[in-house]
Amino acid sequence: MNIRRGARGSGPAGEAVPDRSAPFAEKMAYYRSQHTGRAIRLTHLVGIPGVAFALPVVLARPRIGLPVFAASWAVQIAGHVLFEHNRPALAEGPLTYQLCGLAFWCEEVADLLGGRGLGGVGDASRASGR
């Protein structure tokens, strides 16, 4: 595994940040390791689409887009500070971890639609009301 270690690149449990040349799968594994609790996953479930929505709106209607963009990021950063007690992975590589965030959001939505709950945890029969 291509990883680098250090105070800046370690999470709360010492997870090492993959090197820039590492495969995307390693970067996704690191991203998931920084988003383990339900609360952080919920903040990102709301914040990530908020950022995605705000980006084009900023260009067309900055007075609407900028506050939505800022609020969406604030929700996600608050999740890291309050619940996960780590820095956002985005600090390790803005473009790469922005893409990881979008993939992570898609995984979360798929888990929710599949009845597995946030993080793929949960009983499908409970989600279906049985």
Side-chain angles (χ1 to χ4, degrees):
M1 182 187 306
N2 298 323
I3 56 175
R4 62 183 166 85
R5 299 190 186 277
R8 180 177 186 270
S10 295
E15 298 89 357
V17 179
D19 188 67
R20 292 178 195 261
S21 64
F24 188 75
E26 286 182 28
K27 293 173 183 173
M28 272 305 295
Y30 171 75
Y31 189 92
R32 286 185 203 102
S33 79
Q34 302 301 296
H35 301 83
T36 58
R38 286 178 173 247
I40 188 86
R41 290 171 180 264
L42 185 59
T43 64
H44 283 55
L45 194 63
V46 172
I48 289 171
V51 169
F53 166 80
L55 286 173
V57 177
V58 165
L59 298 174
R61 302 274 179 150
R63 295 183 81 181
I64 296 170
L66 287 172
V68 171
F69 183 82
S72 298
W73 273 113
V75 165
Q76 293 178 78
I77 291 169
H80 281 281
V81 171
L82 298 172
F83 307 118
E84 205 71 25
H85 307 290
N86 62 14
R87 289 176 36 173
L90 193 65
E92 303 302 335
L95 181 58
T96 298
Y97 289 105
Q98 189 77 17
L99 295 173
C100 286
L102 290 172
F104 179 79
W105 184 83
C106 290
E107 290 174 351
E108 290 298 317
V109 170
D111 284 342
L112 287 170
L113 292 174
R116 292 179 293 278
L118 284 176
V121 185
D123 181 10
S125 63
R126 183 179 49 171
S128 64
R130 291 187 210 147

